[in-house]
Amino acid sequence: MTTMQERFKQIRTFIFDVDGVLTDGSVHLLASGERFRTVFIRDTYAIERALKAGFRVGIVSAANADGLRSWLAATNVKDVFMGGPSDQKLNAYLGYITRDSLKESEILYMGDDIPDFPILSRPDVLSTCPSDAVDEIQSVCDYVSPMLGGRGAARDVIEQVMKAQGKW
């Protein structure tokens, strides 16, 4: 049986959902109708560090906001698949891995809610979630971070992988 450390050593690509993973799931609504989210700077740092170390970082999310896109561009995340219906996340994911010839055994995906289930339940993906993910998601994940979504869960998995590979 493969240990979690051995799985971490195989990872070359991180793919994250946004709301509930890179944010705490809160969406702040302004009178103008604009919505904004808050990201955790430690997660941002880990993403930047992973990219500099040669890992791929992708986003698959139904969320679609200019602020998110600006933040991702500033963080140098280029593989961004946002704005489709939440029930189409699997299609966006499959399109991404096909387009870039990615091996699922080298992918760590982190999601937190039912729309992530079709990806997280794929047998070769290293499925992960924050500690506050819904029960149905926690039950299918290979690794449940001790950190909350939007409060270090992304950093936790990036750090775990990079430490296992001697790159942290």
Side-chain angles (χ1 to χ4, degrees):
M1 179 157 228
T2 305
T3 68
M4 192 55 55
Q5 284 297 98
E6 290 169 337
R7 292 289 310 275
F8 287 152
K9 287 179 182 177
Q10 297 173 13
I11 300 305
R12 302 286 172 262
T13 302
F14 297 98
I15 303 175
F16 297 103
D17 176 31
V18 174
D19 290 327
V21 172
L22 296 176
T23 76
D24 68 3
S26 299
V27 177
H28 304 275
L29 307 173
L30 302 178
S32 65
E34 184 182 357
R35 302 174 186 181
F36 74 91
R37 295 157 171 87
T38 303
V39 295
F40 194 47
I41 197 68
R42 292 183 202 155
D43 290 336
T44 302
Y45 172 75
I47 290 169
E48 290 172 341
R49 193 154 176 190
L51 288 165
K52 286 178 185 171
F55 290 91
R56 296 180 78 107
V57 176
I59 302 298
V60 174
S61 177
N64 190 21
D66 291 338
L68 281 172
R69 289 187 184 279
S70 295
W71 169 72
L72 291 165
T75 310
N76 292 314
V77 175
K78 302 201 183 340
D79 297 322
V80 178
F81 305 88
M82 290 180 14
S86 61
D87 64 349
Q88 294 299 311
K89 288 175 93 168
L90 179 60
N91 290 340
Y93 167 82
L94 293 172
Y96 174 35
I97 68 170
T98 300
R99 181 194 80 182
D100 293 0
S101 301
L102 303 177
K103 295 180 185 176
E104 287 193 287
S105 62
E106 296 177 349
I107 294 172
L108 179 150
Y109 183 88
M110 181 173 266
D112 72 306
D113 207 347
I114 301 302
D116 300 301
F117 188 90
I119 300 169
L120 291 168
S121 60
R122 293 181 67 81
D124 293 334
V125 171
L126 178 54
S127 56
T128 67
C129 67
S131 62
D132 57 344
V134 299
D135 291 342
E136 295 90 339
I137 294 302
Q138 289 191 34
S139 71
V140 298
C141 281
D142 300 312
Y143 177 80
V144 177
S145 172
M147 307 304 285
L148 299 171
R151 295 296 298 167
R155 163 124 179 199
D156 174 50
V157 294
I158 291 170
E159 191 173 330
Q160 296 273 356
V161 167
M162 290 181 70
K163 283 182 175 177
Q165 296 182 21
K167 296 179 180 179
W168 184 255

